[in-house]
mmCIF file of all heavy atoms in Angstrom:
data_model
loop_
_atom_site.group_PDB
_atom_site.id
_atom_site.type_symbol
_atom_site.label_atom_id
_atom_site.label_comp_id
_atom_site.label_asym_id
_atom_site.label_seq_id
_atom_site.Cartn_x
_atom_site.Cartn_y
_atom_site.Cartn_z
ATOM 1 N N GLY A 954 -121.863 113.619 -115.103
ATOM 2 C CA GLY A 954 -121.723 114.320 -113.833
ATOM 3 C C GLY A 954 -121.936 113.417 -112.634
ATOM 4 O O GLY A 954 -121.182 113.460 -111.646
ATOM 5 N N GLY A 969 -119.166 121.017 -108.163
ATOM 6 C CA GLY A 969 -120.116 122.050 -107.757
ATOM 7 C C GLY A 969 -121.437 122.002 -108.496
ATOM 8 O O GLY A 969 -122.507 121.973 -107.881
ATOM 9 N N LEU A 1003 -114.125 126.740 -111.706
ATOM 10 C CA LEU A 1003 -113.147 126.419 -112.746
ATOM 11 C C LEU A 1003 -111.731 126.707 -112.266
ATOM 12 O O LEU A 1003 -111.433 127.788 -111.766
ATOM 13 C CB LEU A 1003 -113.434 127.245 -114.003
ATOM 14 C CG LEU A 1003 -112.424 127.095 -115.148
ATOM 15 C CD1 LEU A 1003 -112.465 125.692 -115.730
ATOM 16 C CD2 LEU A 1003 -112.692 128.136 -116.235
ATOM 17 N N SER A 1004 -110.843 125.729 -112.450
ATOM 18 C CA SER A 1004 -109.431 125.921 -112.146
ATOM 19 C C SER A 1004 -108.618 126.078 -113.432
ATOM 20 O O SER A 1004 -107.818 126.997 -113.560
ATOM 21 C CB SER A 1004 -108.899 124.735 -111.332
ATOM 22 O OG SER A 1004 -107.511 124.864 -111.104
ATOM 23 N N SER A 1030 -98.190 132.363 -130.045
ATOM 24 C CA SER A 1030 -98.866 132.038 -131.309
ATOM 25 C C SER A 1030 -100.160 132.827 -131.500
ATOM 26 O O SER A 1030 -100.569 133.083 -132.631
ATOM 27 C CB SER A 1030 -99.168 130.545 -131.388
ATOM 28 O OG SER A 1030 -100.098 130.162 -130.379
ATOM 29 N N ALA A 1071 -116.484 137.550 -117.080
ATOM 30 C CA ALA A 1071 -115.064 137.220 -117.228
ATOM 31 C C ALA A 1071 -114.243 138.463 -117.518
ATOM 32 O O ALA A 1071 -113.071 138.558 -117.122
ATOM 33 C CB ALA A 1071 -114.882 136.201 -118.350
ATOM 34 N N THR A 1233 -145.984 119.106 -127.215
ATOM 35 C CA THR A 1233 -144.661 119.041 -126.610
ATOM 36 C C THR A 1233 -144.705 119.695 -125.244
ATOM 37 O O THR A 1233 -145.675 120.368 -124.886
ATOM 38 C CB THR A 1233 -143.615 119.733 -127.506
ATOM 39 O OG1 THR A 1233 -142.309 119.421 -127.011
ATOM 40 C CG2 THR A 1233 -143.794 121.241 -127.525
ATOM 41 N N ASP A 1283 -148.923 122.893 -128.234
ATOM 42 C CA ASP A 1283 -149.206 122.279 -129.523
ATOM 43 C C ASP A 1283 -148.602 123.168 -130.609
ATOM 44 O O ASP A 1283 -148.944 124.351 -130.716
ATOM 45 C CB ASP A 1283 -150.728 122.174 -129.704
ATOM 46 C CG ASP A 1283 -151.113 121.434 -130.978
ATOM 47 O OD1 ASP A 1283 -150.225 121.170 -131.802
ATOM 48 O OD2 ASP A 1283 -152.300 121.133 -131.134
ATOM 49 N N ASP A 1298 -143.242 136.603 -125.726
ATOM 50 C CA ASP A 1298 -142.986 138.042 -125.770
ATOM 51 C C ASP A 1298 -143.412 138.697 -124.461
ATOM 52 O O ASP A 1298 -142.703 139.557 -123.912
ATOM 53 C CB ASP A 1298 -143.757 138.677 -126.933
ATOM 54 C CG ASP A 1298 -143.123 138.373 -128.284
ATOM 55 O OD1 ASP A 1298 -141.963 137.923 -128.309
ATOM 56 O OD2 ASP A 1298 -143.811 138.572 -129.311
ATOM 57 N N ALA A 1444 -134.372 104.713 -115.206
ATOM 58 C CA ALA A 1444 -133.859 106.082 -115.258
ATOM 59 C C ALA A 1444 -134.882 107.056 -115.806
ATOM 60 O O ALA A 1444 -134.756 108.263 -115.612
ATOM 61 C CB ALA A 1444 -132.595 106.138 -116.130
ATOM 62 N N GLN A 1472 -144.947 78.251 -130.452
ATOM 63 C CA GLN A 1472 -145.934 77.474 -129.698
ATOM 64 C C GLN A 1472 -145.493 76.018 -129.575
ATOM 65 O O GLN A 1472 -145.669 75.381 -128.528
ATOM 66 C CB GLN A 1472 -147.292 77.568 -130.378
ATOM 67 C CG GLN A 1472 -148.429 76.920 -129.585
ATOM 68 C CD GLN A 1472 -148.691 77.629 -128.276
ATOM 69 O OE1 GLN A 1472 -149.034 78.805 -128.253
ATOM 70 N NE2 GLN A 1472 -148.522 76.900 -127.167
ATOM 71 N N CYS A 1550 -134.343 77.303 -116.644
ATOM 72 C CA CYS A 1550 -134.009 76.482 -117.808
ATOM 73 C C CYS A 1550 -132.494 76.440 -118.014
ATOM 74 O O CYS A 1550 -131.908 75.388 -118.283
ATOM 75 C CB CYS A 1550 -134.655 77.030 -119.072
ATOM 76 S SG CYS A 1550 -136.314 77.666 -118.869
ATOM 77 N N ASP A 1598 -141.000 85.797 -124.336
ATOM 78 C CA ASP A 1598 -141.329 87.212 -124.192
ATOM 79 C C ASP A 1598 -140.327 88.087 -124.938
ATOM 80 O O ASP A 1598 -140.705 89.048 -125.612
ATOM 81 C CB ASP A 1598 -141.347 87.592 -122.709
ATOM 82 C CG ASP A 1598 -141.694 89.048 -122.487
ATOM 83 O OD1 ASP A 1598 -142.817 89.456 -122.828
ATOM 84 O OD2 ASP A 1598 -140.827 89.798 -121.975
ATOM 85 N N HIS A 1692 -123.729 93.073 -100.332
ATOM 86 C CA HIS A 1692 -123.494 92.672 -98.945
ATOM 87 C C HIS A 1692 -123.240 91.164 -98.850
ATOM 88 O O HIS A 1692 -122.361 90.703 -98.103
ATOM 89 C CB HIS A 1692 -124.699 93.047 -98.084
ATOM 90 C CG HIS A 1692 -124.557 92.660 -96.642
ATOM 91 N ND1 HIS A 1692 -125.153 91.537 -96.109
ATOM 92 C CD2 HIS A 1692 -123.858 93.236 -95.627
ATOM 93 C CE1 HIS A 1692 -124.851 91.438 -94.831
ATOM 94 N NE2 HIS A 1692 -124.065 92.460 -94.507
ATOM 95 N N PRO A 1704 -117.205 96.751 -111.497
ATOM 96 C CA PRO A 1704 -116.814 97.701 -112.557
ATOM 97 C C PRO A 1704 -117.865 98.788 -112.741
ATOM 98 O O PRO A 1704 -119.040 98.490 -112.986
ATOM 99 C CB PRO A 1704 -116.695 96.814 -113.801
ATOM 100 C CG PRO A 1704 -116.387 95.449 -113.256
ATOM 101 C CD PRO A 1704 -117.165 95.355 -111.981
#
Side-chain angles (χ1 to χ4, degrees):
L1003 176 67
S1004 176
S1030 65
T1233 191
D1283 185 350
D1298 285 345
Q1472 187 65 61
C1550 321
D1598 180 64
H1692 179 259

